[in-house]
Amino acid sequence: MLVQVTSFPAEEALRELMEYAAGFDPEREKEAWELYASGGQAELYGYQEEGEWIGLIGFALREGGQMDIHHLAVHPEDRLKGYGRGILLETLLLKQPRVITAITDEEGADFFRNIGFSVQGFISQGGYEEFRCVYRTEEEESDE
């Protein structure tokens, strides 16, 4: 079940998941918590099963029904069990975006590609390869 995270910093299990989502970069992790605690458009949800935190998703909704995923993580021992896909599907049902986007590394790109996102690589301003992942809901596709 998805549970909105509203207290920051969150409990230890969620902080650990954010470490994974932020690539174990303390500065990026601090920026992430500040983003969700700011009360702006960004929202953070944890996925809990049988009292255990399995994963998290952080995103912002923009005009036109676009959802930008900023953070997505599943605990390593729970990966390859469908939780990442499940978290995205529950989020899609909850927020009903028309377009979902994410910028990620190669491992993340493989995940998004495997669940139906279109993926395009590019060189970031920092000079390393990143991937833009885009998913358009059926409603969006029928409007075209």
Side-chain angles (χ1 to χ4, degrees):
M1 142 176 47
L2 277 181
V3 178
Q4 188 167 18
V5 178
T6 56
S7 60
F8 305 97
E11 60 187 84
E12 180 63 32
L14 286 170
R15 288 196 310 268
E16 181 180 344
L17 286 165
M18 185 59 79
E19 287 178 352
Y20 294 117
F24 297 97
D25 180 331
E27 187 59 34
R28 286 178 54 202
E29 185 179 347
K30 179 182 175 203
E31 289 170 2
W33 288 119
E34 289 171 356
L35 173 69
Y36 300 115
S38 71
Q41 293 179 333
E43 299 178 45
L44 181 66
Y45 287 80
Y47 184 82
Q48 198 172 42
E49 188 172 274
E50 297 178 10
E52 298 291 321
W53 292 108
I54 304 293
L56 63 74
I57 185 168
F59 56 86
L61 294 172
R62 298 190 308 166
E63 287 188 35
Q66 181 167 327
M67 174 186 287
D68 297 329
I69 297 173
H70 296 294
H71 299 95
L72 178 62
V74 173
H75 199 279
E77 66 188 37
D78 295 309
R79 291 182 185 162
L80 302 174
K81 297 179 181 177
Y83 286 112
R85 180 185 180 107
I87 290 168
L88 276 173
L89 288 173
E90 281 199 39
T91 305
L92 186 107
L93 290 171
L94 180 67
K95 297 297 178 176
Q96 300 182 356
R98 295 170 55 100
V99 179
I100 304 171
T101 65
I103 304 294
T104 189
D105 59 13
E106 189 169 355
E107 181 181 2
D110 288 341
F111 165 77
F112 285 110
R113 186 180 294 111
N114 287 336
I115 61 170
F117 280 65
S118 63
V119 176
Q120 184 174 20
F122 66 95
I123 302 300
S124 70
Q125 290 180 349
Y128 53 94
E129 188 173 30
E130 290 188 309
F131 299 86
R132 178 176 168 78
C133 308
V134 179
Y135 179 81
R136 297 183 190 289
T137 64
E138 290 182 45
E139 178 182 320
E140 172 75 5
E141 291 170 353
S142 66
D143 289 346
E144 294 177 1

